[in-house]
Amino acid sequence: MSSYDYDLFVIGGGSGGVRSARVAASLGKKVGIAEEYRYGGTCVIRGCVPKKLFVYASQYHEHFEDAAGYGWSVGETSFDWKKLVAAKDKEIARLEGLYRKGLDNAKADIFDTRAELVDAHTVRLLKNGKTVTADRIVIAVGGAPNPHAALPGHELCISSNEAFHLETLPTSILIAGGGYIAVEFANIFHGLGVKTTLIYRGAEILSRFDHDLRKGLHEAMEAKGIRILCHDVMEDVTKAGEGLRVRTKNHGTLDVETVMLALGRDPNTKNLGLEAAGVKLDERGAIVVDEYSRTSVPNIFALGDVTDRVQLTPVAIHEAMCFIETEYKNNPTKPDHQLIPTAVFSQPEIGTVGLSEEDAAKAHAELEVYRAQFRPMKATLSGRDEKMIMKLIVNASDRKVVGAHILGHDAGEMAQLLGVTLKAGCTKDDFDRTMALHPTAAEELVTMYTPSYRIRNGERV
Ligand code: NDP
């Protein structure tokens, strides 16, 4: 019999926290979990899930236009922002309920309170001031939007958190950043009829992706009417009438109704009692963990965004399952962070797995690059001017496909399955002997027989 109140206490009710608490409890461990806001965490409450619902909403505008080419006459249309937000909130509340139910069914104790560490085995529940003790503790408190405190007027800006609950849809918005959130929300707001501008400090949006997709997406977004200002930053934001005035370094002054910051997310490690417990942080404030998600304190573990390894929901869940295997099933398992498929739910969408051409060129002496750019069938009758890009990066020495990149409809769905093939170590020959599925866009992935070009020692030949 353990001398602690709990075998496991989890701080944070997001993807990683709920998974570790629920599974440990279902294995018969005595588990407590505390969440200060809402169960489900960033992904469910103000991230992936509501974002995807907004993406769907923002696409109808083009669907209505495209319908004409297929013989449909769509009558007058209108959009009701409040109705969308209410419908989204209802769905999020349903999902939150499922998260709680899962914990409850597994017989975990659920606390609706902020919790902080007192020492390596003690947690204080702030709502009632009580302390509980635990043999093991998992910290899975996630991250929060970078507030860009150095920007004068940053307090006038919103982040993705507020974007999900705006009272009214703005008429114009300036979004700062060139990553996942900035790009996805630029497309969402534009699709809903908001005059949208993106400002990004670098040469091209989505710095960690393959250059072809970055350029292709940039062009497609501009063609839709989204203004993209690269090589630029905001100098300050001030109030101007009902809206805001933004001075930029290189593009003059912009007047907009709303400014949204999407400049990365910081680990939520402040005032958590980590110092008191002896848990080490890195220079970005993320919890330092070993390969098994163990912190510098042997009985304290950290999972998900708070460790700033890869800030993605499925990664946090995977890390939680590895923690369970290691600590409660006597099966030491390290999280595998290689070949993670990922999507940017932009319009067109990006789906990718493995190395970009640039990174592959650094890792391998010779590459074969297979690239196709074409108009998807759906765009023929609709008349929409859009292109799909598909790209396979092959290591010439062993013919392994080391990167697969798609821009276009359902790119994320395809990237999920390409993730299986790359993980299985498939070669280009495996792709070549796979029968095409006709007529699909994905068939292009198995019918690119001749390399478009080669990269030798970093040079295109
Ligand atoms: P990202 O890391 O994707 O992008 C941050 C952007 O902000 C980059 O373009 C970066 O520029 C820029 N930036 C950072 N600091 C500054 C600064 N001081 N001034 C100007 N620009 C700056 O972060 P996001 O906030 O978009 O998203 C957070 C995380 O959430 C992502 O990393 C991702 O893992 C996850 N996410 C995943 C989604 C998905 O799977 N579809 C969707 C949304 C979020 P630079 O490139 O030059 O560094």
Side-chain angles (χ1 to χ4, degrees), residues 165-181:
H165 286 110
L166 292 173
E167 272 296 306
T168 53
L169 188 64
T171 52
S172 59
I173 192 163
L174 174 69
I175 302 179
Y180 283 86
I181 296 179

Side-chain angles (χ1 to χ4, degrees), residues 6-166:
Y6 290 100
D7 296 314
L8 173 67
F9 198 92
V10 178
I11 306 180
S15 302
V18 168
R19 180 61 66 98
S20 44
R22 181 170 61 74
V23 179
S26 69
L27 292 173
K29 302 294 167 195
K30 185 153 174 44
V31 177
I33 178 168
E35 163 60 49
E36 65 179 332
Y37 183 50
R38 293 178 65 182
Y39 280 85
T42 303
C43 171
V44 175
I45 306 298
R46 46 192 180 190
C48 323
V49 176
K51 180 273 308 290
K52 189 89 188 268
L53 297 174
F54 278 13
V55 169
Y56 287 133
S58 67
Q59 289 171 336
Y60 278 90
H61 173 71
E62 289 193 355
H63 293 335
F64 296 144
E65 285 176 5
D66 292 354
Y70 285 92
W72 288 90
S73 306
V74 179
E76 201 180 317
T77 60
S78 64
F79 171 68
D80 186 334
W81 168 253
K82 282 201 160 67
K83 218 168 164 178
L84 171 65
V85 172
K88 177 265 295 175
D89 285 346
K90 196 171 162 205
E91 173 60 6
I92 299 311
R94 185 184 74 84
L95 293 174
E96 184 186 4
L98 290 178
Y99 269 69
R100 297 181 82 102
K101 200 168 160 202
L103 287 165
D104 206 35
N105 287 348
K107 302 204 173 1
D109 288 346
I110 304 172
F111 297 95
D112 290 289
T113 173
R114 181 173 173 81
E116 294 171 4
L117 290 173
V118 177
D119 60 40
H121 288 282
T122 312
V123 174
R124 173 170 293 116
L125 306 173
L126 264 65
K127 206 178 219 170
N128 58 14
K130 286 193 177 146
T131 55
V132 292
T133 58
D135 183 14
R136 289 181 179 80
I137 293 172
V138 160
I139 301 167
V141 293
N146 164 9
H148 198 359
L151 174 75
H154 68 93
E155 67 287 351
L156 301 171
C157 306
I158 64 162
S159 70
S160 53
N161 286 353
E162 292 78 33
F164 289 115
H165 286 110
L166 292 173

Side-chain angles (χ1 to χ4, degrees), residues 201-280:
R201 66 180 173 185
E204 186 56 281
I205 55 172
L206 292 173
S207 56
R208 282 167 281 173
F209 287 79
D210 186 273
H211 70 92
D212 255 325
L213 270 55
R214 298 165 67 191
K215 186 163 171 285
L217 178 61
H218 183 137
E219 287 169 2
M221 284 169 65
E222 281 191 331
K224 285 176 197 286
I226 300 170
R227 190 172 175 215
I228 302 179
L229 313 176
C230 285
H231 282 306
D232 207 354
V233 289
M234 299 189 289
E235 296 204 304
D236 59 31
V237 181
T238 48
K239 280 193 176 158
E242 295 291 290
L244 299 171
R245 179 156 297 161
V246 181
R247 276 197 313 132
T248 69
K249 197 166 177 203
N250 298 319
H251 288 88
T253 299
L254 306 173
D255 284 331
V256 290
E257 194 173 319
T258 304
V259 177
M260 173 170 157
L261 304 179
L263 304 172
R265 294 176 59 86
D266 301 332
N268 268 334
T269 45
K270 289 210 180 83
N271 306 321
L272 209 57
L274 296 169
E275 302 77 7
V279 175
K280 286 209 178 87

Side-chain angles (χ1 to χ4, degrees), residues 306-335:
V306 76
T307 64
D308 199 19
R309 284 174 282 186
V310 184
Q311 295 181 357
L312 294 171
T313 299
V315 174
I317 293 172
H318 171 70
E319 289 166 1
M321 294 311 286
C322 291
F323 160 75
I324 294 285
E325 286 295 320
T326 306
E327 296 302 311
Y328 294 124
K329 292 190 171 178
N330 200 21
N331 176 29
T333 307
K334 298 175 189 171

